[in-house]
Amino acid sequence: DVKVTQSSRYLVKRTGEKVFLECVQDMDHENMFWYRQDPGLGLRLIYFSYDVKMKEKGDIPEGYSVSREKKERFSLILESASTNQTSMYLCASSSGTEHGYTFGSGTRLTVV
Amino acid sequence: AQSVTQLDSQVPVFEEAPVELRCNYSSSVSVYLFWYVQYPNQGLQLLLKYLSGSTLVKGINGFEAEFNKSQTSFHLRKPSVHISDTAEYFCAVYRGLWSSASKIIFGSGTRLSIRP
């Protein structure tokens, strides 16, 4: 069964810390995405990548950066965590939009 | 800009009753449409998709959706729901003019709760 794996289900970090969220897919997909999910707001795109070392900003990139050094791995970085970044973070991958996205189980991040 | 509107944030339904979750999108060009389901503490899973062809699309778990171009709607239906259908449902749209890396826009979600 194909998979998108997010390294942590729950994470608690302190304000100002640098936070790394890891995502790995085993489907050889070119495209990978990071979303955050908040009640009433649905999913909002933070960053996406369509190839190794390529990245593009989504709708809410402020306060985040990403890294894609290998095709299967897409990392989301919170440079200096703040309480308003407390959220559920979802990673997804795709071989093409017509196939839809495959999502990971999510990382619930709490910044205190 | 394209957008997706899910008209109901919550839908309570009795078990074995029919359900319809409403979704409208705004776009003047051809689109791809999707419905995803998110069970508690899980990621999103693709329920069904419309790319072209027949406007009635069947998905997993007995769900189906109908694409209505004139009303720009893509409502999700199930004739008889079960307790296990309790989840949040997301409608999503992609305007198919970009590269394969282009993004899908998600609605704000509809929480379906099934009462015994």
Side-chain angles (χ1 to χ4, degrees):
Chain A
D1 196 15
V2 295
K3 274 188 176 177
V4 176
T5 302
Q6 295 184 233
S7 53
S8 304
R9 290 300 303 273
Y10 300 94
L11 214 50
V12 180
K13 296 292 182 180
R14 295 193 180 277
T15 301
E17 276 193 76
K18 190 169 186 177
V19 181
F20 294 85
L21 303 184
E22 306 289 343
C23 176
V24 177
Q25 51 99 359
D26 64 1
M27 297 165 284
D28 201 35
H29 285 171
E30 293 83 11
N31 309 310
M32 297 188 73
F33 307 82
W34 275 106
Y35 287 88
R36 65 177 283 177
Q37 182 181 13
D38 300 288
L41 297 178
L43 277 71
R44 293 180 291 168
L45 182 65
I46 305 171
Y47 268 96
F48 65 102
S49 168
Y50 53 89
D51 202 352
V52 176
K53 296 190 185 296
M54 305 301 289
K55 60 185 179 182
E56 290 199 24
K57 294 179 180 179
D59 300 314
I60 52 165
E62 295 78 21
Y64 303 94
S65 62
V66 290
S67 172
R68 194 165 181 202
E69 297 296 319
K70 294 184 178 182
K71 189 175 186 179
E72 67 270 18
R73 186 180 297 270
F74 192 35
S75 302
L76 180 69
I77 304 156
L78 285 65
E79 298 292 342
S80 177
S82 64
T83 54
N84 62 14
Q85 292 179 309
T86 291
S87 186
M88 169 71 88
Y89 289 87
L90 293 167
C91 176
S93 72
S94 172
S95 59
T97 308
E98 66 275 16
H99 302 297
Y101 295 174
T102 301
F103 282 85
S105 298
T107 296
R108 188 168 294 280
L109 172 68
T110 302
V111 182
V112 298
Chain B
Q2 61 193 41
S3 68
V4 182
T5 302
Q6 292 186 242
L7 298 161
D8 306 295
S9 59
Q10 296 188 59
V11 174
V13 183
F14 285 106
E15 194 172 15
E16 298 184 7
V19 69
E20 178 180 83
L21 306 184
R22 296 180 293 169
C23 173
N24 286 92
Y25 66 93
S26 64
S27 177
S28 59
V29 297
S30 297
V31 295
Y32 296 162
L33 294 157
F34 305 85
W35 274 99
Y36 285 82
V37 59
Q38 185 180 33
Y39 298 106
N41 298 315
Q42 294 187 25
L44 277 69
Q45 177 183 356
L46 182 65
L47 260 183
L48 49 79
K49 61 185 177 183
Y50 171 80
L51 303 181
S52 65
S54 172
T55 57
L56 184 62
V57 180
K58 294 191 183 296
I60 61 172
N61 301 338
F63 284 92
E64 62 182 32
E66 186 159 17
F67 170 59
N68 188 319
K69 188 175 182 180
S70 62
Q71 298 186 7
T72 60
S73 68
F74 191 54
H75 300 334
L76 181 71
R77 301 186 183 102
K78 187 170 182 178
S80 176
V81 296
H82 303 284
I83 291 286
S84 59
D85 293 323
T86 297
E88 190 156 20
Y89 293 79
F90 292 91
C91 181
V93 62
Y94 164 68
R95 193 177 68 186
L97 296 178
W98 295 1
S99 72
S100 62
S102 297
K103 56 192 182 185
I104 292 175
I105 307 297
F106 288 84
S108 56
T110 297
R111 192 170 296 278
L112 177 64
S113 58
I114 311 298
R115 301 169 175 175

